[in-house]
Amino acid sequence: MPISTADSGPCDALSAISRSHRPFFEKGDGLPLGPAKAGDRGVNGSHLNPLATIADKRKPPIFFTVFIGNRSHHFLSSFNFKEDSMGDECCSVQLIDGDGSFNDTGVERFIKEVKLHECGLSYAVVSIMGPQSSGKSTLLNHLFYTNFREMDAFKGRSQTTKGIWMAKCAGIEPCTLVMDLEGTDGRERGEDDTAFEKQSALFALAVSDIVLINMWCHDIGREQAANKPLLKTVFQVMMRLFSPRKTTLMFVIRDKTRTPLENLEPVLREDIQKIWDSVPKPQAHKETPLSEFFNVEVVALSSYEEKEEQFKEQVANLRQRFFHSIAPGGIAGDRRGVVPASGFSFSAQQIWKVIKENKDLDLPAHKVMVATVRCEEIANEKFAAFTANENWCLLEEAVQSGPVAGFGKRLNSILYASLSGYDAEATYFDDGVRSAKRKQLEEKLLQLVQPAHQSMLGHLRSGTLEKFKEAFEKALNGGEGFSLAARNCTESYMASFDEGCADAVVELANWDCSKVRDKLRRDIDAHVASVQAAKLSELTSSYEAKLNEALAGPVEALLDGANNESWPSIKKLLQRETESAVSGLSNALSGFDMDVETKEMMLSSLQDYARGVVEAKAREEAGRVLIRMKDRFSTLFSHDSDSMPRVWTGKEDIRAITKTARSASLKLLSVMAAIRLDDNVDNIEDTLTSALVDAKNNAAVTDRSITTFDPLASSTWEQVPPAKTLITPVQCKSLWRQFRAETEYSVTQAISAQEASKRNNNWMPPPWAIVALVVLGFNEFMTLLRNPLYLGVIFVGYLIVKALWVQLDISGEFRHGVLPGLLSISTKFLPTVMNLLRKLAEQGQSPATNYPQTNQGTDSKSFQNGSTSSSTSSSVSSGVTAPRNGMEYTSPSKEE
């Protein structure tokens, strides 16, 4: 049926073809696009006629290429189609071109198209070799429903296939790849160019499970026919390059004659055995039989041109043998050294490279190499996929900020998924290589996830430590014993950490968490130790504060009132308070888990502290001993037994009072001279008394020579250790000298006050003088009685003298001595008299306006006189008492 494509578009043309023959269209190799016209050439250079091959529908399958398109410089892929009954699609690719270049890009695309990588080891490779124009492509197309280009017999016999083509067989399980090799003995390559023939034949034997050797029936028995020279060369090279891999050689006898197959097959087998025997073999395979390398099969087919129906029937029967060809009992059931499907492209490329370069190749080594490369590729792919895995990225990000619940389970799931993917893709490669690469992948993955695992453990450790601190503090605040709380909290949270580690464990890794656990335990122990140290320090400080409060004040008071009972009282106080504090601290320490030695050391330290408080207070008071001595002297000297201030009336025994006060001060000095907390006896007081107070001894000392021994000329006391000495003998002597000098003034003032008091109290004349005055002054007395005017004159004179006494402050002037007083009065007497006369003159010149005024003036004068009299009296009184008050010093501060 004619189909016109000149004016129709691509869709119209394809529709027309589809309506007439219902073909399946399949993508082929790209060709230059242009209008279909006479002279256009196809894949192999032959002229193309879009309608020429659709002439006979009885010839299944029919393959052709249709070009549809415009005149622009684009490329359009050819479409290969076959009839519906052929099942699944078929596609092909040129594996190796005529120049021997391997089409790695096209092969990779082809493998992806046919999904070969999913097959694992469940695939077979079939190739065919034979003379040029012997019908190899036709046989393959009918046998496997492939689309290899066939020779057009009407155009003459010529080379149709160049290089090596590969296609997927349609409708055969398992996945079967078939390779169509360039025919041998072709005139295009010439007589001498047989290298490619040998290389392609060797390649077919190296990569194929089944090799079909196409030969004419009439060539059987001929020496140069039936590819015998080629087989001999190939066997020889193969023995040198390859180890046994058990390839099936199927001799396909074409255009079978009347000679039965039973008669043809022995001849073929005998010829193959002769070729095998004649091939020089390496030492390792000297005795290796042909069956170790090859399974030999022989089939015969009728002529395709003369007995087409019979040919198709025989081919259909032969096709059934290729179903499950790799299963036990199949054509290639005992094959060895199979490369997994995902490594087929790389393996074929490397084999072709080695064959081209003619390098030594051991098939197991090649298998290991392919497995190494492919497994490494798979491992890298899985590693890259793992690093990009969303779940892993989220898990890694989450674990950076804190602990993740179920970390180990989630991470193990991701790791196992990645390794399972590797196992699924690499399962058919060499076990040793696969295991080694899996181990490397596992190590890389573990190295990648280890920081996250360490972060997880770090979060667990820090979180557990913080929770432990909170729980421990809460337990202590709740009144639980320190050791019990520490033990319970430690056990609880170490168990919690172990649970967290178990939850975070990576099953593939043998990572030891003991280091992190040990660090956590060290941190917990360090925290417990620090808290214990703080608690013990707090306890010790509290008891020390109590001791300080209980001892400092009482000791100061006892030393202030120093006497013979001061140090025994201090000793009893120290013992009582120390026992109380030690008992309390001992009870408090019972809650701490500490050894007896440490506990005893702490209690002993507290006792030493208490003693140190007393000694420190004693040293402090010793530094103020001079002030204390002066205070005591002033208290005893200036106050009586009722603590009332003394008034020196002249009846007191100042010498005795002074001696008593100084003895008391010396007693205080002797008490403060040394620390007497032990039972040792000393003679400090006797030494000080004999050296400083005893007058006889002092007088004796003054009479002695300079070389006489001085008991205070020493820096130590007898029977007193230097550590217990507060004031050395030399210091005591110096302090006593200073004390005497600073208290001497008080004694002098007291004596002066006493003498002044005596003078003030002795103004009345003696009785005999009074009698003498009465007897001798009787006449004068009677004269005064007879003349009262004299009394007025005497009274006025008394007033004038009284006024002068007050104005001149006679008693005050004589306070500092008689001579200074006389000199002072002599200088003040005349100005004072003139001042009194001036005031009297002023009052006399005042005008008397009336009587009341006169009376008022009189009253005023009386008031003035009274006030003057009063002031004079007060001045006199103050003049009398001032010296007395000036001599009374009741405190050292006044004296100083």
Side-chain angles (χ1 to χ4, degrees):
M1 182 176 106
I3 300 176
S4 175
T5 62
D7 299 324
S8 59
C11 296
D12 296 334
L14 291 177
S15 299
I17 297 173
S18 177
R19 285 192 299 271
S20 61
H21 289 277
R22 297 179 291 114
F24 292 106
F25 290 88
E26 187 174 20
K27 189 174 180 180
D29 294 322
L31 295 173
L33 179 64
K37 59 185 183 293
D40 283 347
R41 294 183 178 272
V43 177
N44 297 318
S46 60
H47 293 276
L48 299 177
N49 186 350
L51 307 178
T53 57
I54 316 179
D56 190 358
K57 187 179 178 181
R58 297 175 304 165
K59 296 181 180 181
I62 302 174
F63 302 93
F64 55 90
T65 303
V66 180
F67 294 93
I68 304 171
N70 52 32
R71 299 179 182 273
S72 60
H73 297 285
H74 293 86
F75 286 85
L76 178 70
S77 296
S78 63
F79 288 83
N80 303 323
F81 58 89
K82 55 184 179 290
E83 296 194 5
D84 298 345
S85 60
M86 295 180 188
D88 55 355
E89 297 181 359
C90 170
C91 57
S92 60
V93 67
Q94 189 175 26
L95 186 66
I96 300 171
D97 62 16
D99 297 328
S101 298
F102 194 90
N103 184 14
D104 52 348
T105 305
V107 172
E108 289 292 340
R109 186 170 62 249
F110 168 80
I111 289 176
K112 289 180 180 178
E113 254 185 82
V114 302
K115 300 180 180 179
L116 181 64
H117 60 279
E118 299 178 359
C119 298
L121 296 178
S122 183
Y123 77 102
V125 181
V126 180
S127 60
I128 188 169
M129 55 186 293
Q132 179 177 300
S133 303
S134 61
K136 299 187 300 300
S137 300
T138 301
L139 174 62
L140 294 179
N141 289 339
H142 284 81
L143 183 60
F144 299 112
Y145 297 165
T146 54
N147 57 356
F148 296 119
R149 188 170 181 274
E150 300 176 10
M151 183 189 70
D152 188 354
F154 295 99
K155 295 182 180 180
R157 304 179 67 84
S158 62
Q159 188 181 51
T160 305
T161 302
K162 289 185 178 182
I164 300 176
W165 287 73
M166 183 170 65
K168 177 188 176 184
C169 301
I172 292 181
E173 291 295 335
C175 176
T176 301
L177 302 179
V178 63
M179 293 191 302
D180 188 8
L181 274 64
E182 180 180 318
T184 60
D185 198 19
R187 68 178 181 84
E188 284 79 5
R189 288 195 179 269
E191 181 179 1
D192 299 326
D193 188 9
T194 60
F196 185 80
E197 296 177 3
K198 296 175 183 177
Q199 290 171 354
S200 59
L202 184 58
F203 177 77
L205 289 174
V207 302
S208 302
D209 301 308
I210 304 169
V211 178
L212 303 179
I213 301 177
N214 198 47
M215 59 183 301
W216 300 108
C217 181
H218 53 263
D219 286 337
I220 297 175
R222 296 179 179 177
E223 185 63 29
Q224 300 299 324
N227 290 318
K228 286 183 180 180
L230 176 62
L231 284 177
K232 185 174 182 179
T233 302
V234 167
F235 283 173
Q236 182 177 350
V237 176
M238 187 183 64
M239 286 297 296
R240 182 171 56 86
L241 297 182
F242 300 106
S243 297
R245 68 178 304 270
K246 209 59 175 294
T247 304
T248 298
L249 296 178
M250 179 175 284
F251 290 86
V252 182
I253 301 173
R254 303 292 298 276
D255 296 348
K256 177 180 173 299
T257 60
R258 295 181 180 179
T259 305
L261 181 61
E262 291 80 6
N263 296 335
L264 298 176
E265 184 175 355
V267 177
L268 276 176
R269 291 185 178 275
E270 184 179 352
D271 291 343
I272 296 300
Q273 187 62 46
K274 287 180 180 180
I275 294 172
W276 179 258
D277 293 338
S278 64
V279 170
K281 304 177 183 66
Q283 189 65 33
H285 298 292
K286 281 290 185 182
E287 305 299 330
T288 303
L290 176 67
S291 58
E292 282 294 319
F293 277 84
F294 303 104
N295 291 324
V296 179
E297 298 277 347
V298 180
V299 296
L301 299 176
S302 300
S303 174
Y304 172 68
E305 295 180 354
E306 297 177 1
K307 302 177 181 179
E308 182 176 352
E309 295 299 330
Q310 188 175 357
F311 174 81
K312 292 180 179 180
E313 181 180 354
Q314 291 171 352
V315 168
N317 293 333
L318 179 60
R319 175 183 171 85
Q320 297 301 318
R321 296 190 61 185
F322 287 90
F323 282 89
H324 306 293
S325 59
I326 60 175
I331 299 177
D334 55 350
R335 64 179 181 167
R336 295 192 296 265
V338 184
V339 176
S342 60
F344 175 77
S345 173
F346 175 77
S347 174
Q349 185 177 2
Q350 293 300 315
I351 289 176
W352 179 250
K353 180 179 179 181
V354 171
I355 291 174
K356 286 273 291 181
E357 295 175 0
N358 196 20
K359 291 182 179 179
D360 293 339
L361 176 67
D362 189 351
L363 196 59
H366 173 75
K367 178 182 177 182
V368 170
M369 179 191 67
V370 174
T372 301
V373 173
R374 184 58 188 151
C375 289
E376 188 169 354
E377 289 178 354
I378 297 172
N380 292 336
E381 291 173 2
K382 296 306 174 184
F383 183 79
F386 183 89
T387 57
N389 186 282
E390 183 179 359
N391 294 331
W392 159 244
C393 293
L394 293 176
L395 184 61
E396 184 181 25
E397 183 179 356
V399 81
Q400 297 300 323
S401 57
V404 179
F407 174 83
K409 183 177 181 181
R410 293 169 62 180
L411 182 57
N412 287 326
S413 175
I414 302 171
L415 287 172
Y416 281 132
S418 180
L419 293 175
S420 297
Y422 170 86
D423 292 337
E425 293 190 29
T427 185
Y428 301 112
F429 289 100
D430 182 78
D431 290 342
V433 176
R434 182 179 73 247
S435 299
K437 294 300 178 182
R438 189 186 194 278
K439 185 68 175 177
Q440 293 179 6
L441 173 60
E442 185 178 315
E443 291 175 355
K444 287 179 65 178
L445 291 176
L446 293 178
Q447 186 177 2
L448 176 66
V449 304
Q450 189 174 18
H453 183 260
Q454 291 297 325
S455 297
M456 181 65 186
L457 294 182
H459 291 312
L460 282 176
R461 183 189 61 79
S462 58
T464 304
L465 182 61
E466 291 302 321
K467 292 178 181 177
F468 169 82
K469 291 179 180 179
E470 294 176 2
F472 186 47
E473 183 178 1
K474 185 177 180 181
L476 293 179
N477 294 336
E480 189 173 351
F482 185 90
S483 299
L484 181 61
R487 182 167 56 254
N488 292 340
C489 291
T490 300
E491 292 177 356
S492 174
Y493 284 94
M494 288 304 296
S496 175
F497 177 78
D498 292 338
E499 292 177 2
C501 288
D503 181 63
V505 69
V506 179
E507 297 175 358
L508 294 173
N510 189 23
W511 291 332
D512 188 8
C513 300
S514 60
K515 291 184 179 179
V516 181
R517 191 180 192 278
D518 293 342
K519 183 172 180 12
L520 173 62
R521 186 56 186 262
R522 289 194 302 270
D523 292 342
I524 288 177
D525 292 343
H527 178 70
V528 171
S530 64
V531 173
Q532 178 174 337
K535 292 292 183 182
L536 292 177
S537 177
E538 183 180 349
L539 276 174
T540 305
S541 299
S542 65
Y543 279 98
E544 288 177 353
K546 291 179 181 179
L547 281 173
N548 194 36
E549 182 180 359
L551 293 174
V555 168
E556 181 178 356
L558 290 170
L559 292 176
D560 187 28
N563 53 47
N564 292 331
E565 295 299 323
S566 294
W567 281 112
S569 299
I570 292 174
K571 184 177 179 182
K572 291 179 181 179
L573 174 66
L574 174 62
Q575 184 176 2
R576 182 177 68 252
E577 295 299 334
T578 302
E579 289 178 355
S580 175
V582 168
S583 176
L585 180 60
S586 179
N587 293 333
L589 293 179
S590 61
F592 293 86
D593 188 11
M594 61 173 56
D595 55 277
V596 178
E597 184 178 354
T598 304
K599 185 176 180 180
E600 292 297 331
M601 187 181 299
M602 290 187 65
L603 298 178
S604 177
S605 176
L606 186 63
Q607 293 174 348
D608 294 340
Y609 178 81
R611 192 181 184 94
V613 169
V614 174
E615 293 182 356
K617 197 63 181 176
R619 295 183 186 279
E620 180 182 348
E621 293 301 316
R624 297 197 292 263
V625 65
L626 182 60
I627 298 174
R628 297 290 188 189
M629 290 169 64
K630 291 192 294 184
D631 286 346
R632 174 165 292 191
F633 177 84
S634 177
T635 300
L636 296 177
F637 185 78
S638 301
H639 296 77
D640 57 17
S641 59
D642 296 329
S643 298
M644 296 298 293
R646 289 184 190 275
V647 179
W648 304 104
T649 62
K651 299 178 181 180
E652 295 83 4
D653 187 358
I654 294 178
R655 183 179 297 276
I657 294 173
T658 301
K659 184 175 182 180
T660 301
R662 286 178 176 175
S663 297
S665 299
L666 186 65
K667 180 67 176 180
L668 188 146
L669 179 61
S670 66
V671 171
M672 298 296 298
I675 299 173
R676 299 176 177 88
L677 295 177
D678 300 324
D679 296 331
N680 298 332
V681 179
D682 59 72
N683 57 352
I684 294 177
E685 185 175 1
D686 296 338
T687 303
L688 289 176
T689 302
S690 62
L692 301 176
V693 178
D694 193 347
K696 293 181 179 181
N697 291 340
N698 290 339
V701 169
T702 57
D703 295 337
R704 292 174 184 171
S705 63
I706 299 176
T707 59
T708 303
F709 173 74
D710 185 359
L712 297 183
S714 175
S715 60
T716 57
W717 298 103
E718 293 182 3
Q719 301 176 345
V720 177
K724 303 299 181 182
T725 301
L726 298 177
I727 306 173
T728 63
V730 175
Q731 291 173 340
C732 287
K733 187 174 181 179
S734 176
L735 286 171
W736 185 255
R737 185 183 301 113
Q738 185 178 357
F739 165 74
R740 285 178 61 89
E742 293 182 4
T743 57
E744 194 70 31
Y745 179 74
S746 298
V747 177
T748 304
Q749 289 295 96
I751 295 172
S752 299
Q754 192 178 51
E755 291 177 352
S757 177
K758 289 179 179 179
R759 287 194 302 269
N760 291 333
N761 293 331
N762 293 332
W763 60 274
M764 290 295 292
W768 61 269
I770 295 174
V771 173
L773 285 174
V774 171
V775 173
L776 296 177
F778 179 78
N779 294 332
E780 288 79 3
F781 180 72
M782 293 305 292
T783 300
L784 290 175
L785 291 177
R786 293 188 189 101
N787 299 296
L789 183 60
Y790 288 158
L791 292 176
V793 173
I794 293 172
F795 180 72
V796 171
Y798 170 76
L799 291 177
I800 293 172
V801 173
K802 183 68 174 178
L804 289 173
W805 184 278
V806 173
Q807 290 294 326
L808 293 174
D809 189 14
I810 301 300
S811 61
E813 294 296 339
F814 283 98
R815 185 180 304 163
H816 301 291
V818 177
L819 182 59
L822 292 174
L823 293 174
S824 178
I825 291 172
S826 64
T827 57
K828 295 179 180 179
F829 179 76
L830 184 59
T832 303
V833 172
M834 295 301 294
N835 189 26
L836 287 176
L837 292 176
R838 187 177 63 254
K839 287 183 179 180
L840 290 174
E842 290 175 356
Q843 291 178 359
Q845 291 176 0
S846 298
T849 56
N850 51 31
Y851 180 78
Q853 290 178 351
T854 303
N855 294 337
Q856 184 178 3
T858 304
D859 294 339
S860 176
K861 291 179 181 179
S862 300
F863 176 75
Q864 290 177 357
N865 293 334
S867 62
T868 303
S869 177
S870 174
S871 63
T872 302
S873 302
S874 64
S875 298
V876 172
S877 175
S878 64
V880 173
T881 60
R884 183 182 303 169
N885 293 336
M887 290 185 288
E888 292 179 359
Y889 293 91
T890 58
S891 66
S893 60
K894 291 180 180 180
E895 296 172 4
E896 295 171 357

